[in-house]
Amino acid sequence: MSLFKARDWWSAVLGEGEEFDQGCLCVGDVDNSGSGHDKVVVGSYMGMLRIFSPHANKSTEGVPVEAQLLEVQLQNAIIQVEVGKFVSCSDLLHLAVLHPRKLSVYSVSGTAGNVEHGDQYQLKLVYEHNLQRTACNMTYGTFGGVTGHHSLCIQSMEGMLMFFEQDSYSFGRFLPGFLLPGPLVYNPRTDSFLTVSSARQLESYKYETLAVATEAESRQDPDLPLKTGGKRLTPDWTFVLGEQALDLCVPSFSHSSASIFVLGERNLYCLRDNGQIRFMKKLEFNPSCFLPYTSVTDGTTNLLMGNHTNMLLVYQDVTLKWAAQLPYVPVAVRIANFPDLKGVVISLSSSGHLLCSYMGTDPSFFSTPKVDAREADYEQVDAEMKKLQKFIREATRTQGIGSSTVVAFSAFLNGRYPPADLTGDVTVSYSSPTGVPRVLQSRFSLPLGLVCVPSSPAKTTKFKITVDTNQAPVDLDSIFPEDKDGNSLAFQFLSGAKVTVLASKTSQRYRIQSDSFEDMWLVVKELVRRFDRHFSKLGVKDFKKSFSGPLPLQEYFLSVDHHFQLRVSAQQYQDLLSERAVQFRAIQRRLLTRFKDKTPAPLQNLDTLLDATYSQVMALAEAAEENRALLEEAFVRLRSATHLLVLLMSLWQGLTPDQTAILEATLLPLLQDTPQLGWEESCDAAVSHLLRSCLSRSSKDQATSLAQAGGPVLGLPRDTARLKKHITLLCDRIGKGGRLSLASEANVQVPAQVQSLAAPGESGKGGMIEVFSQLIDSSFCL
């Protein structure tokens, strides 16, 4: 057990799936027992209100029944709970509960029980206020110097301070320049309210200033000119923090150290009541909560601070005095006195872990046993070593055996069109029996039946592909057991065209045909894969499959042109939207100038022009969104067509798996288009590189390409003529015996003129001109 750990005195786990925050915890003698001992009040965002009286018992998994006094399910979420004198003509303590749209004040009372269950506690509503605005937080105190009871101030999400004096509403004021609510606290020494604004500065407002300021109900915007009586609300003083504050606190236990503490995201601030800074400490961690709790020496203050590394720190001003480990990140911390222990630290986590702890140390009664000074028995040590080695060998032998786990998942179509690929990747991370982390990756294929259903064959189609084999013809029902007819079958895609597969009765040829060129890809891939598996089961070693051509480049270029036209349309929509947006802002500026003019002039149909421009912007945005959806579908279909072309080229020339991978990476360099980079320019650059390197006509051209500098920045081309020319040339080079290899560039001997390019200082001016002229004459021109 660590020495620096918060000692568990009492703990409980509140609810399951509930959430808690900074204002959900408070302590006090809420039941007015008169003993001076505190009770713990906890509210949750689920509306559960719980009151505890902890005892020195062992911690349990759930909530100890004997320590829980009350548990009530309220109708609304609980934002904050406070204990104070909130009822007029009464010195008893009451419980104030803040909901998003309601403030409720309850009395908690206990009656002695006549059975073994003990005392019975009741929660009785005294009064409540329905709020017109959504509340954020609240504070209480003796506003205006009135003694004997407490008033309440609630800050809304819109920046309005609502003041309540017991069961009556006093007034409301808007904070100036408000954007987002910050922490709120009352300073009784100066009768003022402190908050941190969105400008990241600490602001102080006197109660008297708030009382005589403009009524909030008469002005929704505090920056508008005054139209009714009252003064403009301004802060008494401000202090720039430069960061957002997590919490504020004004301790009142020592008048000699009158201070204001501010917990920032990275710093702790201490200021005097007039806004002058006393000290500041830069934090090396992310704090979560804090609480000034005592003053040991005059002029100093002790405080507790929790952080996101599960630590509870004790500071005396800026000096760290103690650090204790917590089992969670605290969101609220309080100090309470119980009958069995004084000064207990109460902390609450966001998930409902409530812990009462102290920060002392437990003495250790362990004493080191005496060591026998006897000589070692080497025979016994040797036998023990052999036994341990046997255990190690057995553990190593069974290290690969673990347990199997079945994980189920679902697959759905991403659009109203067939997918381009049915394969997926799975990654498994686990730990071996010896504790070594391992990661395995594997690829799987989804069944074709997820995206298509059997159908009747089509006789006339637009596109046809024929695949040959070197084995005797087989019936399709042996390849596709789900097929009923041995010579033909058809697949109807759920969101696409129909694909028909025909088998020749006299030859080993198989035809795939469809009205959609892209939709044939998945069927051709499945047919080739099942051929390999079928003949592998039969033990055929020399099975080969081929495609006799010609390559369907014209059909493939239809998909390329369609995708390119949609990209051009997307760019045009973007340009038109930019123009209309500039026009819309210009009209707005002119209208704003007319409206601000003290002597307004006629609008000259500017409002009509604004409405028309707005309609054009909305129409263009809808058209651009529709074009974006079509572009996504076009790219998926282009991927399918490219996969099919790569497969046909590999069957056409008998490419190896490595060569097929290079070809696929060349024709499919992107998995999706981006506004900065599209498929056309990326593919053109990759194909051009192959034509200049491994598919070049001579080794001289390959060496020349190595000396060339980087090309221009890739962008949307004017048309697809250059790209289609390069793809056609790529297919022609491969058809004439060119082979794809990434290592071919390293095997080429660099000519002398290229070597002189690499070392220009070794040749004269005339030699450099001659080398450049030779390179221009011999370079590969596309």
Side-chain angles (χ1 to χ4, degrees):
M1 180 179 290
S2 173
L3 180 67
F4 300 100
K5 180 181 178 182
R7 303 297 168 179
D8 189 351
W9 184 72
W10 180 90
S11 63
V13 179
L14 309 182
E16 182 177 355
E18 299 185 45
E19 295 184 14
F20 303 82
D21 207 348
Q22 178 181 345
C24 297
L25 174 67
C26 73
V27 297
D29 189 15
V30 67
D31 60 341
N32 300 283
S33 62
S35 61
H37 299 144
D38 295 321
K39 312 299 184 300
V40 181
V41 182
V42 183
S44 73
Y45 285 165
M46 301 300 291
M48 294 297 298
L49 180 66
R50 300 178 177 92
I51 302 178
F52 300 96
S53 178
H55 302 292
N57 294 332
K58 297 296 182 180
S59 61
T60 58
E61 300 258 343
V63 179
V65 178
E66 66 274 6
Q68 181 168 322
L69 305 182
L70 187 66
E71 182 178 32
V72 179
Q73 173 68 63
L74 302 181
Q75 297 180 355
N76 302 306
I78 299 176
I79 300 177
Q80 190 173 346
V81 289
E82 296 291 349
V83 175
K85 300 178 180 180
F86 303 127
V87 178
S88 59
C89 303
S90 176
D91 292 334
L92 300 179
L93 296 177
H94 289 76
L95 176 64
V97 180
L98 180 63
H99 302 287
R101 286 282 184 167
K102 185 169 58 176
L103 172 65
S104 303
V105 175
Y106 298 93
S107 64
V108 181
S109 59
T111 56
N114 297 324
V115 293
E116 61 182 3
H117 297 296
D119 298 340
Q120 298 179 1
Y121 287 82
Q122 295 180 351
L123 187 71
K124 183 179 179 181
L125 179 65
V126 180
Y127 64 87
E128 65 180 8
H129 295 286
N130 292 319
L131 308 178
Q132 301 298 323
R133 301 177 183 276
T134 303
C136 175
N137 50 25
M138 68 175 176
T139 185
Y140 71 95
T142 56
F143 302 164
V146 178
T147 60
H149 63 269
H150 294 148
S151 301
L152 288 162
C153 176
I154 300 176
Q155 181 181 205
S156 71
M157 299 296 292
E158 295 89 354
M160 179 180 177
L161 298 183
M162 297 171 284
F163 294 86
F164 297 89
E165 188 174 354
Q166 287 79 51
D167 55 352
S168 62
Y169 172 72
S170 298
F171 58 89
R173 300 291 183 265
F174 274 108
L175 294 176
F178 180 84
L179 182 60
L180 291 174
L184 180 68
V185 70
Y186 173 70
N187 187 359
R189 295 187 294 267
T190 59
D191 193 25
S192 59
F193 294 86
L194 302 169
T195 185
V196 177
S197 66
S198 300
R200 296 185 174 182
Q201 63 181 8
L202 179 65
E203 300 177 352
S204 174
Y205 299 90
K206 284 189 175 295
Y207 179 76
E208 181 182 0
T209 304
L210 292 167
V212 300
T214 306
E215 182 66 22
E217 285 74 8
S218 62
R219 292 196 301 127
Q220 296 295 327
D221 189 354
D223 296 328
L224 293 177
L226 294 177
K227 295 183 179 179
T228 59
K231 298 181 180 179
R232 181 185 297 274
L233 181 60
T234 56
D236 300 316
W237 55 263
T238 61
F239 179 79
V240 178
L241 300 176
E243 61 179 329
Q244 188 58 41
L246 302 179
D247 197 5
L248 298 175
C249 189
V250 180
S252 58
F253 43 75
S254 176
H255 296 285
S256 60
S257 60
S259 302
I260 300 170
F261 288 89
V262 184
L263 179 63
E265 295 174 330
R266 285 294 183 182
N267 299 278
L268 173 67
Y269 305 88
C270 180
L271 296 91
R272 296 184 175 88
D273 289 337
N274 58 0
Q276 296 179 354
I277 188 168
R278 288 186 57 209
F279 62 82
M280 167 184 164
K281 178 174 180 57
K282 183 175 179 60
L283 305 177
E284 301 298 332
F285 48 81
N286 292 330
S288 60
C289 61
F290 85 135
L291 176 70
Y293 70 95
T294 186
S295 179
V296 180
T297 308
D298 287 342
T300 64
T301 302
N302 285 14
L303 59 90
L304 298 172
M305 185 181 301
N307 61 20
H308 285 271
T309 58
N310 300 0
M311 295 295 295
L312 186 63
L313 310 175
V314 182
Y315 285 93
Q316 183 176 359
D317 286 348
V318 297
T319 305
L320 180 64
K321 293 296 185 179
W322 192 265
Q325 185 75 36
L326 291 177
Y328 49 77
V329 177
V331 296
V333 60
R334 300 290 185 270
I335 298 294
N337 296 322
F338 298 123
D340 301 326
L341 189 64
K342 307 294 183 181
V344 179
V345 179
I346 303 175
S347 57
L348 177 68
S349 73
S350 60
S351 59
H353 290 267
L354 184 63
L355 175 64
C356 297
S357 59
Y358 59 94
M359 289 179 291
T361 58
D362 292 337
S364 177
F365 299 99
F366 174 76
S367 60
T368 306
K370 294 182 179 180
V371 180
D372 295 335
R374 59 181 181 179
E375 295 183 358
D377 188 353
Y378 293 102
E379 294 183 357
Q380 182 180 359
V381 172
D382 186 60
E384 185 177 357
M385 177 64 69
K386 292 180 179 179
K387 184 177 180 181
L388 291 176
Q389 290 178 348
K390 181 180 178 181
F391 289 157
I392 293 174
R393 286 194 300 268
E394 292 179 355
T396 306
R397 189 180 305 112
T398 60
Q399 187 174 0
I401 305 176
S403 60
S404 61
T405 303
V406 179
V407 179
F409 69 96
S410 302
F412 303 92
L413 282 176
N414 197 25
R416 296 184 177 181
Y417 44 87
D421 199 358
L422 290 177
T423 60
D425 296 317
V426 58
T427 302
V428 179
S429 60
Y430 65 98
S431 298
S432 63
T434 58
V436 179
R438 299 291 179 87
V439 176
L440 293 179
Q441 292 181 338
S442 179
R443 174 161 291 189
F444 63 92
S445 297
L446 296 175
L448 184 63
L450 286 179
V451 295
C452 63
V453 295
S455 179
S456 59
K459 296 182 179 180
T460 58
T461 56
K462 186 177 179 181
F463 304 104
K464 299 178 182 179
I465 293 175
T466 303
V467 178
D468 297 338
T469 63
N470 63 346
Q471 299 295 324
V474 296
D475 292 337
L476 291 179
D477 56 358
S478 61
I479 305 297
F480 293 92
E482 60 270 25
D483 179 38
K484 302 301 181 183
D485 191 355
N487 293 325
S488 64
L489 72 156
F491 302 93
Q492 177 65 55
F493 283 92
L494 300 179
S495 54
K498 180 187 296 185
V499 180
T500 303
V501 181
L502 302 175
S504 176
K505 297 181 180 179
T506 58
S507 63
Q508 58 272 23
R509 301 184 119 190
Y510 306 88
R511 173 176 293 178
I512 303 95
Q513 56 189 21
S514 175
D515 289 332
S516 176
F517 178 75
E518 302 88 356
D519 292 343
M520 292 191 295
W521 150 241
L522 292 178
V523 177
V524 175
K525 178 184 178 183
E526 185 70 14
L527 179 65
V528 172
R529 187 181 68 84
R530 294 202 181 192
F531 272 148
D532 293 337
R533 186 176 61 181
H534 173 74
F535 289 107
S536 177
K537 289 181 179 179
L538 296 179
V540 179
K541 302 296 184 181
D542 58 344
F543 169 70
K544 293 183 180 179
K545 48 193 180 298
S546 62
F547 172 74
S548 57
L551 291 176
L553 290 180
Q554 298 304 321
E555 293 83 352
Y556 174 69
F557 290 154
L558 294 177
S559 300
V560 174
D561 290 335
H562 180 61
H563 175 262
F564 179 75
Q565 291 301 327
L566 289 175
R567 284 193 63 195
V568 173
S569 299
Q571 185 63 40
Q572 292 174 351
Y573 282 128
Q574 185 68 27
D575 296 340
L576 289 175
L577 273 174
S578 300
E579 294 177 2
R580 293 300 182 269
V582 171
Q583 178 179 333
F584 188 75
R585 290 192 293 269
I587 299 173
Q588 281 184 320
R589 285 194 296 268
R590 297 193 63 180
L591 280 174
L592 185 61
T593 303
R594 296 289 180 89
F595 291 148
K596 285 186 175 180
D597 195 357
K598 295 182 179 180
T599 59
L603 295 180
Q604 296 179 349
N605 296 326
L606 285 177
D607 53 345
T608 305
L609 185 59
L610 183 69
D611 293 338
T613 306
Y614 176 77
S615 301
Q616 292 178 3
V617 170
M618 296 304 296
L620 286 173
E622 293 175 359
E625 180 65 20
E626 182 179 357
N627 186 83
R628 183 197 60 80
L630 294 176
L631 182 59
E632 290 182 358
E633 178 180 355
F635 186 73
V636 172
R637 292 190 176 275
L638 178 60
R639 286 180 57 195
S640 299
T642 306
H643 282 304
L644 180 57
L645 181 64
V646 171
L647 177 60
L648 294 180
M649 292 180 66
S650 64
L651 297 178
W652 180 42
Q653 292 297 319
L655 301 180
T656 62
D658 293 339
Q659 294 172 345
T660 305
I662 294 175
L663 183 60
E664 185 171 356
T666 302
L667 296 179
L668 276 178
L670 299 177
L671 291 180
Q672 61 181 4
D673 286 320
T674 61
Q676 295 79 19
L677 188 64
W679 176 84
E680 283 79 7
E681 53 267 31
S682 302
C683 182
D684 190 22
V687 172
S688 300
H689 175 72
L690 287 184
L691 293 177
R692 292 191 183 100
S693 55
C694 60
L695 295 180
S696 180
R697 294 177 179 176
S698 64
S699 60
K700 182 179 180 181
D701 294 338
Q702 296 185 29
T704 303
S705 67
L706 294 178
Q708 291 178 349
V713 179
L714 299 182
L716 182 65
R718 291 179 296 179
D719 51 37
T720 59
R722 175 186 172 92
L723 173 62
K724 291 188 288 187
K725 177 183 176 182
H726 288 173
I727 294 178
T728 304
L729 188 57
L730 173 71
C731 298
D732 181 66
R733 295 279 177 87
I734 295 177
K736 292 181 178 180
R739 284 297 175 260
L740 302 171
S741 175
L742 296 179
S744 61
E745 299 175 355
N747 299 327
V748 175
Q749 184 178 3
V750 182
Q753 59 266 30
V754 179
Q755 296 180 3
S756 62
L757 273 178
E762 300 177 359
S763 60
K765 182 176 181 182
M768 285 296 296
I769 297 177
E770 182 181 359
V771 169
F772 273 111
S773 62
Q774 293 177 1
L775 283 178
I776 294 174
D777 295 337
S778 61
S779 63
F780 174 74
C781 182
L782 295 179

